[in-house]
Amino acid sequence: MRIFLQNRINLLEMITILLYNLMFLFQGYFNKILVISGGMLFFLFFILSKRKKYSITERLTILLCIYIPTSFTSVLATSYGSLPLTWFNLTLIMLYVLILFRKFKKSFYFFSPFVMIFYGLYSFLINEDLMDPFKQLMTIVLFLISFFVGEYLRKFSNKRFLEIINQYYILSIILYCISIIIQAFMYNRFGIRVGYFDIIGNNRIVMAGLMNDYSFGSLFIATGMIVYLIEYMEEKKISTYKFLFIEILMFFSILKVNSRTGLFAFLIISLFYFIYKRNFKSILILLCLFITIPFILNIVAKQRGGQALLSTSGRINLNKIAIENFANNILLGVGLGVGRWRMLNGVVLPHNLITQYLAQLGLIGSLIFHSNFVVLFIKYIRYKSLYLWPIIVTLIGAMAIPDIVSSRFLSVLVILAIISSKKFKVKYTKDGRYEKSRKINV
């Protein structure tokens, strides 16, 4: 934890954030009013205690990183399904509204959420349960808002803020890993289940803290593993001991989550990264990976309770159903709504980012949605953003899981990728503060 003490995040703050996470993890053992009040007090505490250090937009952006592990629990300490308003969503909405009252350029990312809202109205016309499409549309629109937020913040970002926001993102993952370890300890030692915990298949134990999808949990950790790996490879600030400690902690936690998605995505992208770098350090780590991968796969296989390591778990059939739906509704799709999808097909959502939105949104809606990524990669990601790699890790994982836009951490990664882009460099004063920005056009 000492790595954060030298980067403006003190130990007391780390403990406070950890206790906040644990309060929600063990919310079943507390009075609901206490948990609701705790959420409100934490928000006010952070906003007020950091007012001299960061601007309001910076504070809200940092809170987005902090809120990721608890972003599947509503502000009223209920499940997201019963009330789709979490502290994460509320913070993103406040940040968005705050920006709307300021001067900004009406670029592609400004119009994109409104276009999606207009297009999504079709789903309300064909669905009897209006809350069903509303929940999914709201999730998609909030995700698209993150592109606009990132583009606005890009004009005012500086090296100081980029460093601290990166540290908060890594800290959020580390504290999430600690929550996973505590979750495993409570079950193994006392037989107590907290958070999202299940035993599936042939005695396969899975857990994901407060994330309602185990694949989300593994992918979230995997993004931290790749970010910290790249920081170690390309910067001299991190010692080998610190790097190994953090990576082992994350690796141990991802094994406890017991979902292949994040681990496999990390291994694939890290291999590509090392091949891309081709220096002595990368070759050395690459050799270590080749030696350890068989052991890693053996551990994963044993934890799956007899299920084949490369089993598709029915994903091929789900994607086949999605393609059939798309073929019958090419332009508009079958409409949004998890309930509607189950009613029409009797199965869960397709486990693939592309086939899911082709089936639900059709060709037109898919183009509207995916165009945001096209602009992201053309305009920002190609300019050597550190967050190229974790976004690719997430998108690879999204080829095997449903509804990746509801993962929350992808929204934060989009914001971080845009504000850390090296294309639009700004001038700084000696203390690292913003001095003058360049115009941003799409």
Short mmCIF file of all heavy atoms in Angstrom, two decimals, residues 35-58:
data_model
loop_
_atom_site.label_atom_id
_atom_site.label_comp_id
_atom_site.label_asym_id
_atom_site.label_seq_id
_atom_site.Cartn_x
_atom_site.Cartn_y
_atom_site.Cartn_z
N VAL A 35 -26.86 2.01 6.28
CA VAL A 35 -26.13 1.86 5.01
C VAL A 35 -26.44 3.04 4.09
O VAL A 35 -25.52 3.60 3.46
CB VAL A 35 -26.50 0.53 4.32
CG1 VAL A 35 -25.77 0.40 2.99
CG2 VAL A 35 -26.16 -0.65 5.22
N ILE A 36 -27.71 3.43 4.02
CA ILE A 36 -28.09 4.58 3.18
C ILE A 36 -27.39 5.85 3.67
O ILE A 36 -26.85 6.62 2.87
CB ILE A 36 -29.62 4.77 3.19
CG1 ILE A 36 -30.31 3.56 2.56
CG2 ILE A 36 -30.01 6.05 2.46
CD1 ILE A 36 -31.82 3.57 2.70
N SER A 37 -27.40 6.05 4.99
CA SER A 37 -26.75 7.24 5.57
C SER A 37 -25.24 7.20 5.34
O SER A 37 -24.63 8.23 5.07
CB SER A 37 -27.05 7.31 7.07
OG SER A 37 -28.44 7.37 7.31
N GLY A 38 -24.67 6.00 5.46
CA GLY A 38 -23.23 5.85 5.23
C GLY A 38 -22.85 6.23 3.81
O GLY A 38 -21.81 6.87 3.59
N GLY A 39 -23.69 5.87 2.85
CA GLY A 39 -23.42 6.24 1.46
C GLY A 39 -23.47 7.74 1.25
O GLY A 39 -22.61 8.31 0.57
N MET A 40 -24.45 8.39 1.86
CA MET A 40 -24.58 9.84 1.74
C MET A 40 -23.41 10.57 2.41
O MET A 40 -22.85 11.52 1.86
CB MET A 40 -25.90 10.29 2.34
CG MET A 40 -27.14 9.76 1.63
SD MET A 40 -28.69 10.21 2.44
CE MET A 40 -28.64 11.99 2.30
N LEU A 41 -23.04 10.09 3.61
CA LEU A 41 -21.95 10.72 4.35
C LEU A 41 -20.62 10.59 3.63
O LEU A 41 -19.81 11.51 3.61
CB LEU A 41 -21.86 10.12 5.76
CG LEU A 41 -22.98 10.50 6.73
CD1 LEU A 41 -22.86 9.72 8.03
CD2 LEU A 41 -22.94 12.01 7.02
N PHE A 42 -20.39 9.41 3.03
CA PHE A 42 -19.14 9.21 2.30
C PHE A 42 -19.04 10.17 1.12
O PHE A 42 -17.99 10.77 0.88
CB PHE A 42 -19.02 7.77 1.81
CG PHE A 42 -17.77 7.51 1.01
CD1 PHE A 42 -16.57 7.28 1.64
CD2 PHE A 42 -17.80 7.54 -0.38
CE1 PHE A 42 -15.40 7.06 0.91
CE2 PHE A 42 -16.65 7.33 -1.12
CZ PHE A 42 -15.45 7.08 -0.47
N PHE A 43 -20.14 10.32 0.38
CA PHE A 43 -20.15 11.23 -0.76
C PHE A 43 -19.84 12.66 -0.30
O PHE A 43 -18.98 13.34 -0.88
CB PHE A 43 -21.50 11.18 -1.46
CG PHE A 43 -21.63 12.15 -2.60
CD1 PHE A 43 -21.12 11.85 -3.84
CD2 PHE A 43 -22.26 13.38 -2.41
CE1 PHE A 43 -21.24 12.75 -4.90
CE2 PHE A 43 -22.37 14.30 -3.45
CZ PHE A 43 -21.86 13.98 -4.70
N LEU A 44 -20.53 13.11 0.73
CA LEU A 44 -20.33 14.47 1.23
C LEU A 44 -18.92 14.65 1.79
O LEU A 44 -18.28 15.69 1.57
CB LEU A 44 -21.37 14.80 2.31
CG LEU A 44 -22.81 14.91 1.82
CD1 LEU A 44 -23.75 15.07 3.01
CD2 LEU A 44 -22.97 16.08 0.85
N PHE A 45 -18.44 13.64 2.51
CA PHE A 45 -17.10 13.70 3.07
C PHE A 45 -16.05 13.88 1.99
O PHE A 45 -15.16 14.73 2.10
CB PHE A 45 -16.81 12.43 3.87
CG PHE A 45 -15.36 12.20 4.16
CD1 PHE A 45 -14.71 12.92 5.15
CD2 PHE A 45 -14.63 11.27 3.42
CE1 PHE A 45 -13.36 12.72 5.41
CE2 PHE A 45 -13.27 11.07 3.68
CZ PHE A 45 -12.64 11.79 4.67
N PHE A 46 -16.16 13.09 0.92
CA PHE A 46 -15.15 13.16 -0.14
C PHE A 46 -15.23 14.49 -0.88
O PHE A 46 -14.20 15.14 -1.13
CB PHE A 46 -15.33 12.00 -1.12
CG PHE A 46 -14.21 11.89 -2.11
CD1 PHE A 46 -13.09 11.12 -1.81
CD2 PHE A 46 -14.25 12.56 -3.32
CE1 PHE A 46 -12.03 11.03 -2.71
CE2 PHE A 46 -13.21 12.47 -4.23
CZ PHE A 46 -12.10 11.70 -3.92
N ILE A 47 -16.44 14.91 -1.24
CA ILE A 47 -16.62 16.16 -1.98
C ILE A 47 -16.09 17.36 -1.19
O ILE A 47 -15.40 18.23 -1.73
CB ILE A 47 -18.10 16.37 -2.35
CG1 ILE A 47 -18.55 15.34 -3.39
CG2 ILE A 47 -18.33 17.78 -2.87
CD1 ILE A 47 -17.87 15.47 -4.74
N LEU A 48 -16.38 17.39 0.10
CA LEU A 48 -15.99 18.53 0.92
C LEU A 48 -14.51 18.48 1.32
O LEU A 48 -13.83 19.51 1.33
CB LEU A 48 -16.86 18.60 2.18
CG LEU A 48 -18.35 18.87 1.93
CD1 LEU A 48 -19.13 18.81 3.24
CD2 LEU A 48 -18.56 20.21 1.23
N SER A 49 -14.00 17.30 1.65
CA SER A 49 -12.61 17.20 2.11
C SER A 49 -11.61 17.43 0.99
O SER A 49 -10.46 17.79 1.26
CB SER A 49 -12.37 15.82 2.73
OG SER A 49 -12.51 14.78 1.76
N LYS A 50 -12.02 17.27 -0.27
CA LYS A 50 -11.10 17.44 -1.40
C LYS A 50 -11.32 18.74 -2.16
O LYS A 50 -10.74 18.94 -3.23
CB LYS A 50 -11.28 16.26 -2.36
CG LYS A 50 -11.00 14.88 -1.77
CD LYS A 50 -9.54 14.69 -1.46
CE LYS A 50 -9.27 13.29 -0.93
NZ LYS A 50 -7.85 13.08 -0.62
N ARG A 51 -12.14 19.63 -1.61
CA ARG A 51 -12.51 20.82 -2.37
C ARG A 51 -11.34 21.76 -2.62
O ARG A 51 -11.34 22.50 -3.61
CB ARG A 51 -13.65 21.57 -1.66
CG ARG A 51 -13.31 22.16 -0.31
CD ARG A 51 -14.55 22.78 0.36
NE ARG A 51 -14.26 23.42 1.63
CZ ARG A 51 -14.11 22.77 2.77
NH1 ARG A 51 -14.24 21.45 2.79
NH2 ARG A 51 -13.85 23.42 3.89
N LYS A 52 -10.33 21.75 -1.74
CA LYS A 52 -9.17 22.63 -1.93
C LYS A 52 -8.12 22.00 -2.85
O LYS A 52 -7.23 22.69 -3.34
CB LYS A 52 -8.54 22.97 -0.58
CG LYS A 52 -9.43 23.82 0.31
CD LYS A 52 -8.71 24.17 1.62
CE LYS A 52 -9.58 25.04 2.51
NZ LYS A 52 -8.90 25.37 3.79
N LYS A 53 -8.24 20.71 -3.05
CA LYS A 53 -7.23 19.98 -3.80
C LYS A 53 -7.61 19.78 -5.27
O LYS A 53 -6.75 19.83 -6.15
CB LYS A 53 -7.01 18.62 -3.14
CG LYS A 53 -5.63 18.05 -3.33
CD LYS A 53 -5.43 16.86 -2.39
CE LYS A 53 -3.98 16.41 -2.41
NZ LYS A 53 -3.76 15.25 -1.51
N TYR A 54 -8.91 19.52 -5.50
CA TYR A 54 -9.37 19.24 -6.85
C TYR A 54 -10.62 20.05 -7.17
O TYR A 54 -11.39 20.40 -6.28
CB TYR A 54 -9.69 17.74 -7.02
CG TYR A 54 -8.58 16.82 -6.59
CD1 TYR A 54 -8.70 16.04 -5.43
CD2 TYR A 54 -7.41 16.72 -7.33
CE1 TYR A 54 -7.68 15.19 -5.03
CE2 TYR A 54 -6.39 15.87 -6.94
CZ TYR A 54 -6.53 15.12 -5.79
OH TYR A 54 -5.52 14.29 -5.39
N SER A 55 -10.82 20.28 -8.46
CA SER A 55 -12.05 20.95 -8.90
C SER A 55 -13.22 19.99 -8.73
O SER A 55 -13.03 18.79 -8.51
CB SER A 55 -11.92 21.35 -10.37
OG SER A 55 -11.90 20.20 -11.20
N ILE A 56 -14.44 20.49 -8.84
CA ILE A 56 -15.62 19.66 -8.64
C ILE A 56 -15.69 18.56 -9.70
O ILE A 56 -16.09 17.42 -9.41
CB ILE A 56 -16.91 20.52 -8.65
CG1 ILE A 56 -18.13 19.63 -8.36
CG2 ILE A 56 -17.06 21.29 -9.94
CD1 ILE A 56 -18.13 18.94 -7.04
N THR A 57 -15.32 18.87 -10.95
CA THR A 57 -15.34 17.83 -11.98
C THR A 57 -14.28 16.76 -11.71
O THR A 57 -14.52 15.57 -11.96
CB THR A 57 -15.10 18.45 -13.37
OG1 THR A 57 -13.89 19.23 -13.35
CG2 THR A 57 -16.26 19.32 -13.80
N GLU A 58 -13.14 17.17 -11.18
CA GLU A 58 -12.10 16.19 -10.84
C GLU A 58 -12.56 15.30 -9.69
O GLU A 58 -12.34 14.09 -9.71
CB GLU A 58 -10.80 16.92 -10.47
CG GLU A 58 -10.10 17.57 -11.65
CD GLU A 58 -8.88 18.36 -11.23
OE1 GLU A 58 -8.83 18.82 -10.08
OE2 GLU A 58 -7.96 18.51 -12.06
#
